[in-house]
Amino acid sequence: MRVDVVTIFPAFFDVLEVSLLGKARGAGLLDVRVHDLRDYATDRHRSVDDTPYGGGAGMVMKPEPWGAALDAIIADAATAPTFIFPSPAGELFSQRTARELSDAEHLVFGCGRYEGIDERVFAYAATLGDVRLMSLGDYVLNGGEVASMAMIEAIGRLIPGVVGNPESLVEESHENGLLEYPSYTKPASWRGQDVPDVLLSGHHRRVAEWRREQQMTRTRTRRPDLLPPSS
Ligand code: 6GU
């Protein structure tokens, strides 16, 4: 998968060199290219923002640098990419979205700062590929960088070969619409707390039933919104 990122803070993405996704890059499974939006500014101050038409607080990102950056990315792209603009005003990003996007050939993350990006940039991007405004949840971050990192990690780890054991992708929170069951390892007794007997029993069916119950109870108490209204 090719991933381009457009940002005024390229240093945020240095962390992609390390850990799981760093290995995926090394193995050629993930080709991430980070672009500094200021390289596409046209004035000598390399400005990327201006005051909003209609007034109001804050600054808006100017369309021209965005247009030039997207054109440069498209110029050597093999297929029409999917553009993802992180925004608290976007649709909710979920495990389903991550799965959907994990078989894309080419994703482009456009990281906005200030009060946002001139709206015409989204319409222009839509002439080049699919466009999705994506939110991580109902809270506000300063810009799209941290949100893009979260999405790149959630999507990247679903690319075959990136996570060593594919079974570890199946049993985790949100993959079956429920929260994950609790996990234990040795020792069987630690600081007065014992591992539940059923897990030591070697009885596979009972273990599976217990884990399912734990998933249901946890989901009901912590995230009732994930369950159908009937249950
Ligand atoms: Cl995707 N961007 C920003 N700036 N804030 C957010 C967000 C995204 N998701 C939640 N809050």
Side-chain angles (χ1 to χ4, degrees):
M1 179 188 291
R2 175 174 163 189
V3 174
D4 288 272
V5 181
V6 182
T7 172
I8 56 169
F9 295 120
F12 267 93
F13 298 90
D14 290 353
V15 177
L16 286 175
E17 298 293 338
V18 297
S19 101
L20 200 70
L21 292 184
K23 269 188 256 154
R25 287 182 86 171
L29 297 170
L30 203 56
D31 170 15
V32 184
R33 310 177 194 184
V34 181
H35 311 267
D36 188 341
L37 182 66
R38 288 194 195 279
D39 292 344
Y40 299 94
T42 49
D43 64 323
R44 62 190 181 87
H45 296 111
R46 306 220 297 162
S47 54
V48 293
D49 62 324
D50 207 335
T51 53
Y53 276 121
M59 300 288 269
V60 175
M61 292 186 114
K62 296 158 58 65
E64 302 97 318
W66 279 104
L70 300 189
D71 288 345
I73 287 166
I74 281 293
D76 66 343
T79 55
T82 295
F83 295 91
I84 299 169
F85 292 97
S87 165
E91 53 174 314
L92 206 55
F93 181 84
S94 67
Q95 190 63 23
R96 171 190 294 271
T97 326
R99 233 180 289 122
E100 231 172 84
L101 294 170
S102 68
D103 34 61
E105 205 153 310
H106 186 188
L107 300 178
V108 179
F109 288 85
C111 304
R113 283 261 147 183
Y114 314 109
E115 302 310 303
I117 303 173
D118 186 292
E119 191 70 20
R120 292 167 291 183
V121 171
F122 308 125
Y124 178 66
T127 68
L128 307 174
D130 289 336
V131 173
R132 300 181 71 171
L133 272 67
M134 286 278 160
S135 169
L136 293 191
D138 295 336
Y139 47 86
V140 179
L141 304 170
N142 277 334
E145 283 77 11
V146 168
S148 289
M149 286 288 286
M151 289 189 269
I152 291 168
E153 182 158 315
I155 295 164
R157 63 193 293 285
L158 297 179
I159 298 171
V162 171
V163 168
N165 179 4
E167 279 187 32
S168 64
L169 295 175
V170 180
E171 299 223 340
E172 60 197 11
S173 289
H174 299 296
E175 272 303 339
N176 63 359
L178 298 173
L179 301 184
E180 198 174 14
Y181 53 76
S183 299
Y184 299 88
T185 186
K186 290 166 276 297
S189 184
W190 178 72
R191 298 194 180 188
Q193 297 187 76
D194 296 335
V195 171
D197 283 335
V198 61
L199 299 180
L200 308 177
S201 70
H203 200 301
H204 297 305
R205 187 175 50 78
R206 268 190 238 147
V207 169
E209 280 167 7
W210 180 84
R211 286 177 168 167
R212 183 75 187 181
E213 281 164 23
Q214 291 291 311
Q215 286 196 287
M216 287 302 297
T217 309
R218 273 190 165 188
T219 307
R220 213 179 298 114
T221 51
R222 297 178 187 173
R223 291 294 306 278
D225 58 296
L226 296 178
L227 296 170
S230 52
S231 61

